[in-house]
Amino acid sequence: MTSITPAAPIGNRAAASEARKQRIRDAALALFSQFGLRGASLDAIADQAGVSKTNLLYYFPSKEKLYVAVLQQILDTWLEPVRAIDAEQSPETAIGDYIRIKVELSRDHAQASRLFCLEMIQGAPLLREDLQSNLRLLVEEKSRVIEGWIARGSLRPVDPHHLIYLLWGTTQHYADFAVQIEAISGRTLADPAFFEATVENITRIVLGGLLPRTNADS
Amino acid sequence: MTSITPAAPIGNRAAASEARKQRIRDAALALFSQFGLRGASLDAIADQAGVSKTNLLYYFPSKEKLYVAVLQQILDTWLEPVRAIDAEQSPETAIGDYIRIKVELSRDHAQASRLFCLEMIQGAPLLREDLQSNLRLLVEEKSRVIEGWIARGSLRPVDPHHLIYLLWGTTQHYADFAVQIEAISGRTLADPAFFEATVENITRIVLGGLLPRTNADS
DNA sequence: TCCTTTTCAGACCAATTGGTCCGGTGGCTT
DNA sequence: AAGCCACCGGACCAATTGGTCTGAAAAGGA
């Protein structure tokens, strides 16, 4: 409790320990994201992490604690792009940037995206509080930014909530349904051309719309 | 094997039997969609269905068989709206109708949507074949319809695949992430006003786009 | 050096898992 | 009436589960 972690060198001990914990978290993410909290066994996680089950339980005192630890590490990463939305930017660049970053996340942290999705499907028993307070406030804040754009005339009228849901749903889809997408189009976000096409098409639909433009509407 | 099911009256016996099977399937859908294949126990399913575990295993010889039976019942329902897309329709009504039907599905069959999502996240080990053959062909067929619209000038250029993914992802989102949406906006698709707002906003964004219309582009 | 604290693993445990066995019960045909 | 057979449930089983206990290396400070 009163231990002062030595700042500079980080004793070999602590470093190795932290590395082990991270290996365990990574293994847990891989298995939890595939089989869920109840579906993944500690044996399998310990095995994949290359440590004994006892050792795993030494670092994380229970399965649920481990699960929460993994989730927590994800959450911040996930909301970061939302926080970055700024009223000073033009809606074009703000939304365009957001789409690109979210698709990058779907490419680079697909497992995290899937675990988050799993947790939501199950009713988010461990995150509900967080959602109702922090996330809600964040969304309200960004909604006002969007409403500002609309009032200023630089965005056509739309309910900010539904816009945010559409952006979330669309971008997450490329991580969570990667198997389906690969089965259908034979491509993956790992393919740079497909990645760019994804960003480009989503952006074009959301910003420009699908219907041809007549010069007779607002 | 050689039994000929009596067509008209359906003996009390067979009717009760079928009713039981359906109750089991419903219970299985509820629990599988929440905890996944490995996370849901046969005990819990039998309990929720109001039958003994032995009786459940009498109708469905193994857990996996039951799981597949439930999935199969979902698949057709799910692809129905895609099949309905028709080249003769205008893209406006075709896409508008599709969005409305999918949001209705998200409202009325949220559990089915979630189970489908779970299966995808896990890599769809039981559906992979189906995806690579049937679904792929269906998507290719509808892609050509969309390309026809574009060629005809009634739709702005877009990659049909990404358009389909966007529609899937957005509409599914309201079922799979219902908890999140409720935590943030306090509304549910069960609320008719919220349902209409959802359909309306998605349609407006996809068809009309967000950027204000200048009279200086295609 | 000695002693405390951290770190780690093998043996073990009670509970739960998917699934089987056996014995019944009630409807339907002959 | 009689017997066949679809139907159903309680007892049971081997395997796996999350988690504990005991005890020993391996540091690190004195």
Side-chain angles (χ1 to χ4, degrees):
Chain A
M1 287 304 133
T2 65
S3 73
I4 299 169
T5 29
I10 309 175
N12 243 350
R13 193 81 167 259
S17 158
E18 185 51 41
R20 234 161 214 253
K21 280 176 86 168
Q22 192 54 45
R23 275 229 310 281
I24 293 174
R25 268 192 296 256
D26 289 344
L29 172 57
L31 291 180
F32 280 145
S33 70
Q34 197 169 34
F35 302 112
L37 171 57
R38 299 169 66 159
S41 74
L42 289 183
D43 289 277
I45 296 172
D47 195 62
Q48 169 137 347
V51 304
S52 71
K53 189 172 71 167
T54 319
N55 194 218
L56 183 157
L57 283 164
Y58 169 74
Y59 286 112
F60 303 91
S62 81
K63 191 188 196 185
E64 194 166 314
K65 290 272 176 53
L66 171 59
Y67 186 74
V68 172
V70 173
L71 266 188
Q72 220 100 46
Q73 219 183 22
I74 293 179
L75 258 186
D76 271 344
T77 315
W78 228 244
L79 291 182
E80 170 62 25
V82 180
R83 293 207 184 84
I85 292 178
D86 181 9
E88 302 305 315
Q89 297 174 292
S90 78
E92 265 180 273
T93 61
I95 294 175
D97 287 354
Y98 179 78
I99 291 173
R100 171 170 296 270
I101 292 173
K102 274 302 296 296
V103 178
E104 279 172 3
L105 280 182
S106 285
R107 179 192 60 190
D108 301 332
H109 302 280
Q111 286 182 339
S113 175
R114 294 193 194 110
L115 182 56
F116 190 72
C117 183
L118 266 180
E119 181 64 10
M120 285 303 141
I121 285 182
Q122 291 184 2
L126 299 168
L127 293 179
R128 210 157 207 161
E129 281 184 33
D130 235 35
L131 298 182
Q132 282 171 345
S133 51
N134 299 341
L135 185 55
R136 181 172 195 153
L137 288 179
L138 183 60
V139 169
E140 290 311 323
E141 179 190 331
K142 297 312 173 184
S143 287
R144 275 190 287 279
V145 172
I146 295 173
E147 277 160 1
W149 285 331
I150 295 173
R152 198 195 303 165
S154 51
L155 210 63
R156 304 178 76 200
V158 69
D159 184 326
H161 278 189
H162 290 292
L163 169 57
I164 291 173
Y165 298 152
L166 185 144
L167 293 175
W168 279 352
T170 304
T171 50
Q172 287 244 156
H173 192 75
Y174 284 85
D176 305 340
F177 286 69
V179 193
Q180 195 185 49
I181 290 174
E182 190 175 357
I184 292 174
S185 59
R187 315 281 291 279
T188 310
L189 285 183
D191 172 357
F194 187 71
F195 172 84
E196 285 302 330
T198 302
V199 173
E200 163 72 16
N201 275 276
I202 296 176
T203 307
R204 197 186 307 161
I205 295 174
V206 172
L207 291 182
L210 289 176
L211 293 187
R213 313 213 138 185
T214 65
N215 41 10
D217 51 7
S218 77
Chain B
M1 288 305 133
T2 65
S3 74
I4 300 169
T5 29
I10 309 174
N12 243 350
R13 193 79 166 258
S17 159
E18 185 51 41
R20 235 159 212 256
K21 280 177 86 167
Q22 191 53 46
R23 274 229 310 282
I24 293 174
R25 268 193 296 256
D26 289 343
L29 171 58
L31 291 181
F32 281 145
S33 69
Q34 197 170 31
F35 302 112
L37 170 57
R38 299 170 67 160
S41 74
L42 289 184
D43 289 277
I45 296 173
D47 196 61
Q48 169 138 346
V51 303
S52 71
K53 190 172 70 168
T54 318
N55 193 217
L56 183 158
L57 283 163
Y58 169 74
Y59 285 112
F60 301 92
S62 81
K63 193 187 194 183
E64 194 166 316
K65 289 271 176 55
L66 172 59
Y67 186 73
V68 172
V70 173
L71 266 187
Q72 220 100 46
Q73 221 183 19
I74 292 179
L75 258 186
D76 272 343
T77 315
W78 228 242
L79 291 182
E80 170 62 28
V82 181
R83 293 206 184 85
I85 292 178
D86 181 10
E88 302 305 314
Q89 297 175 292
S90 79
E92 265 179 274
T93 61
I95 293 175
D97 287 355
Y98 179 79
I99 291 172
R100 172 170 296 271
I101 292 173
K102 274 301 297 299
V103 178
E104 278 172 3
L105 280 182
S106 286
R107 180 193 58 190
D108 300 332
H109 302 280
Q111 286 181 339
S113 175
R114 295 193 194 110
L115 182 55
F116 190 72
C117 184
L118 267 180
E119 181 65 12
M120 284 303 141
I121 285 181
Q122 291 183 1
L126 300 168
L127 293 179
R128 209 157 207 160
E129 282 185 31
D130 235 35
L131 297 183
Q132 281 172 344
S133 52
N134 298 341
L135 185 55
R136 181 172 195 152
L137 288 178
L138 183 59
V139 169
E140 289 310 323
E141 178 190 330
K142 297 312 174 184
S143 287
R144 274 189 288 278
V145 172
I146 295 172
E147 277 161 0
W149 285 331
I150 294 173
R152 200 197 302 166
S154 51
L155 212 63
R156 304 178 76 199
V158 70
D159 184 326
H161 278 190
H162 290 292
L163 169 57
I164 291 173
Y165 298 151
L166 184 144
L167 292 175
W168 279 350
T170 304
T171 51
Q172 288 245 154
H173 192 75
Y174 285 86
D176 305 341
F177 286 69
V179 194
Q180 196 185 50
I181 290 174
E182 192 177 356
I184 291 173
S185 59
R187 315 281 292 278
T188 310
L189 285 183
D191 173 357
F194 187 72
F195 172 85
E196 286 302 329
T198 301
V199 174
E200 163 71 14
N201 275 276
I202 296 176
T203 307
R204 198 187 307 163
I205 294 173
V206 173
L207 291 182
L210 289 175
L211 292 187
R213 313 213 137 185
T214 65
N215 40 12
D217 49 8
S218 75

